[in-house]
Amino acid sequence: MLTGGRDKVFNIWDVSTRALRRTVPTLEEVEALVGLGPLVEFIETPGLLPPHMAPKLDKLFKQDPDAALIASGGQSGQLKLWVVGDIAAECVWTEDKRSQPDMEVAPSVPEPTYQIGRLCYCSLTRTIISCTTDANIFIYSLDTLTRTKQIVGSHGEILDVKYINEEVAPKKKKKQKAQSNNEHDDDNDDDDEDDAPVSVSEMDRRVVLATNTEEIRVLNLATSNCQFLYGHKDIVICVDVSRDGSTMVSGSKDRDVRVWSLKTMSCVSVCSGHAEPIGAVVVAKKGAAFVVSVSHDLTLKIWDIRASHPKASATVRAHAKDINTVAVAPNDRLIATGSQDKTIKLWDPSDLREVGVLRGHTRGVWSVDFSPVDQVLVSASGDHTVRLWSLTSFACLKTLEGHTGSVLRATFLSFGLQVMSAAADGLLKLWTIKTNECVCTMDVHTEKIWAFAVHPSESQVVSGGGDSVLAVWKDYTIIDEEVAQRTNEDRILQEQKLDGLLRAKNYKKALMIAFHLQQPGHILNIFTSIYSEGGQEETANVVQRLKSLYICKLLGYIRDWNTTSRNSGMANRILHALLTSYTPQRLLDITKGEVNMRDILGALIPYTERHFARTDRLLQKSYIIDYTLENMNNMVLPVLDADSEMSSSTAPPSSPLQSSSTSTSSSTTTTTSSSSSSSSTAMITAPPSTVGAASSKSDGPGLEEDEDLAQLLDLSDDMMPPA
């Protein structure tokens, strides 16, 4: 058994006798120990350890054949290997942090000060895993004794992030050359190769992070492997990567700008000259010929990084307050700076001559960026707005409002058609410039979003902020459009099939397709056709064969149909079929978790009561028709003799109204005479005075007809049965 402690020794115990076998001094506090196995195993099996350790291990094995190999870690943060036995006790390897491939440290910079807290050994993969006190996990390969992977547990506050544009050589595939009798028949067959395009997913997606620490972190998003670059003596504030992904620059509170080679992962030069912490840095877009830096000393500097010892080629006092951001145009012919003095200034990079000033923000400017296609600049400010500026007239073109906190970063997307912004409210917003609308809001951060970066292919966005969260966002626009297109094609095919089934009057299959397409109109028409052909019994049979999911949907459709008087009749017939086909408990079991029956009934009852009340009123009003028809049947037409017909034929013509009035009077007189006398039917003519009165009344617009109709309506109302 192995034990270690802060007394700077580790002990070896015999478990069987519970006796201490050996004490080994380590000259450091021991926090972790792990046994790797007997030394003889590593001697007899070549390749388990680096070849340069073989002579030393052979010597120790001859001294103590029963020795074992032990790994330790502690206060120094260095992994150590020990050969320990009854005779031998020696440290055979100590990790040198400067020699690790992911730690390129300048000679004048002290080593990192983390400590090792835990150690674990995996015999299957021959790897040692160490956990450090700064929440990092290191994985070492035992056969090379090098760090193969590092997983970071916490990045702290992320201040800046940039993508590394990986240039992956296209895969080549040789063509199969055809055999022919003449070798020179076809010259195109000689050494032809096809260049297969490489998808974005095959690239090594790495990002550079500036956190609230002295090191720069290079994180592989695919494998979670993180490399550290040491060199700065204070917190790194800003980073930028060249367009080809070969060069990186960083600015720190130590007032230095460092230039790094991402191919060798080493610092190649240091730019010193600022008197205050660096605020922002940017690399030239074409060829990384120069670097622009701004500082809290209110100056703007241009550095020629092609020299081994870069010096500022131009310096100017740019603003009256701290400078927060700097950007270079895509053609390297313009520089833009934003400051806490609420202004944006444009500069000529050849001599740092001021070209123009953009005014309009009411708070400090935190970010500026050039459009990749137009002469437009985007800016983000503490006044909660994002503004678009013309580089020709220096006027504000548009203002995008929607954030509730200071907007800290903004950049162009989609060839200058969209803008993405990040703010202190923890939101990422995507804006469409043409409509001034926010088309997407991404909410995952709980603190300020200090930075975000867009992948060169615009397929991914990575964001980081004060909540120590590094969020990766993927663009699913193309995928969603393809899915929508396929769904639309399937829907068109189903609708065509539905139309064919309806023409063939195959209502049962058509009903299933209509449910699948979620078309309530077709479903109602199909049920109407089924009812018209088979009645209520056939409707009930169809309802009984429906799936549980379709029954749940049907209840919702019935609720909607019942709100209109035109569809309420068929809706109640279908509801009646449901209630007679299933028991209430069965309906509750079917709709459990899918439909709230309380809501369905709450919507059905009031509308159903209203429809029944309307039907009762119509029924009551229909009695007037029965009354009118009955009275019309009791009327007797007058019988005219030949003399009266001749007299009527020789009489002068009168108006239709007069004729109608006269006929009405004659009919009335005839009815009265027939009722009072039992003699044979004879023509009874009205007295002249009556006819004259009728003629005089006929001059008006049918007043007598109106009075008779009013009496008839009043009588019908009296005879109407109670509601």
Side-chain angles (χ1 to χ4, degrees), residues 7-183:
D7 54 359
K8 300 183 180 181
V9 298
F10 67 85
N11 297 325
I12 302 175
W13 302 80
D14 189 343
V15 179
S16 59
T17 61
R18 300 183 181 181
L20 177 64
R21 294 180 55 183
R22 192 177 183 91
T23 299
V24 180
T26 59
L27 304 179
E28 68 168 345
E29 297 179 359
V30 180
E31 300 289 345
L33 287 168
V34 63
L36 305 181
L39 182 60
V40 63
E41 179 181 347
F42 296 91
I43 295 295
E44 295 178 351
T45 307
L48 297 183
L49 289 173
H52 68 272
M53 295 184 61
K56 183 183 294 187
L57 296 178
D58 291 338
K59 180 180 178 181
L60 294 174
F61 179 71
K62 293 178 181 178
Q63 295 178 3
D64 192 346
D66 297 330
L69 194 62
I70 298 173
S72 69
Q75 183 181 8
S76 66
Q78 295 173 307
L79 181 65
K80 297 182 179 181
L81 296 184
W82 302 78
V83 174
V84 180
D86 294 333
I87 301 174
E90 184 178 345
C91 180
V92 295
W93 178 79
T94 301
E95 175 191 4
D96 185 3
K97 296 180 181 179
R98 299 180 188 271
S99 65
Q100 291 299 328
D102 58 349
M103 292 186 178
E104 296 294 337
V105 184
S108 60
V109 178
E111 292 182 352
T113 57
Y114 59 80
Q115 300 179 8
I116 296 178
R118 292 286 299 272
L119 285 176
C120 181
Y121 175 62
C122 179
S123 59
L124 296 177
T125 59
R126 301 290 183 180
T127 55
I128 300 175
I129 303 172
S130 69
C131 301
T132 63
T133 54
D134 55 355
N136 295 331
I137 298 176
F138 297 158
I139 301 177
Y140 299 87
S141 176
L142 197 59
D143 55 354
T144 59
L145 291 180
T146 56
R147 188 180 303 169
T148 58
K149 190 174 183 179
Q150 175 173 314
I151 301 174
V152 177
S154 176
H155 292 290
E157 189 171 6
I158 300 173
L159 305 179
D160 202 359
V161 58
K162 288 293 186 296
Y163 265 102
I164 299 177
N165 186 13
E166 305 287 351
E167 289 191 348
V168 181
K171 296 179 180 180
K172 295 183 178 181
K173 186 189 297 181
K174 293 184 178 180
K175 288 183 177 180
Q176 298 292 335
K177 292 190 292 185
Q179 298 292 334
S180 61
N181 295 330
N182 188 354
E183 295 180 358

Side-chain angles (χ1 to χ4, degrees), residues 425-429 440-447 449 463 467 469 471 473:
D425 55 10
L427 300 178
L428 276 168
K429 288 183 177 289
C440 182
T441 299
M442 293 159 278
D443 183 10
V444 71
H445 293 279
T446 58
E447 297 290 340
I449 302 178
S463 61
D467 55 0
V469 174
W473 309 87

Side-chain angles (χ1 to χ4, degrees), residues 187-208:
D187 294 337
N188 294 329
D189 289 340
D190 296 338
D191 299 329
D192 284 349
E193 292 180 344
D194 280 343
D195 293 343
V198 179
S199 63
V200 177
S201 60
E202 295 178 8
M203 294 184 180
D204 185 14
R205 297 183 176 181
R206 295 187 297 167
V207 293
V208 179

Side-chain angles (χ1 to χ4, degrees), residues 499-547:
D499 293 339
L501 291 174
L502 290 176
R503 290 191 184 95
K505 295 186 178 182
N506 192 346
Y507 298 123
K508 296 179 181 179
K509 291 185 178 180
L511 186 64
M512 300 299 106
I513 296 178
F515 270 113
H516 178 70
L517 295 176
Q518 297 183 3
Q519 294 183 347
H522 278 103
I523 295 173
L524 181 62
N525 294 334
I526 293 171
F527 269 112
T528 303
S529 301
I530 293 174
Y531 179 80
S532 61
E533 293 185 2
Q536 186 67 23
E537 183 178 356
E538 183 63 22
T539 304
N541 293 334
V542 173
V543 168
Q544 291 174 1
R545 289 193 291 268
L546 290 178
K547 297 180 180 178

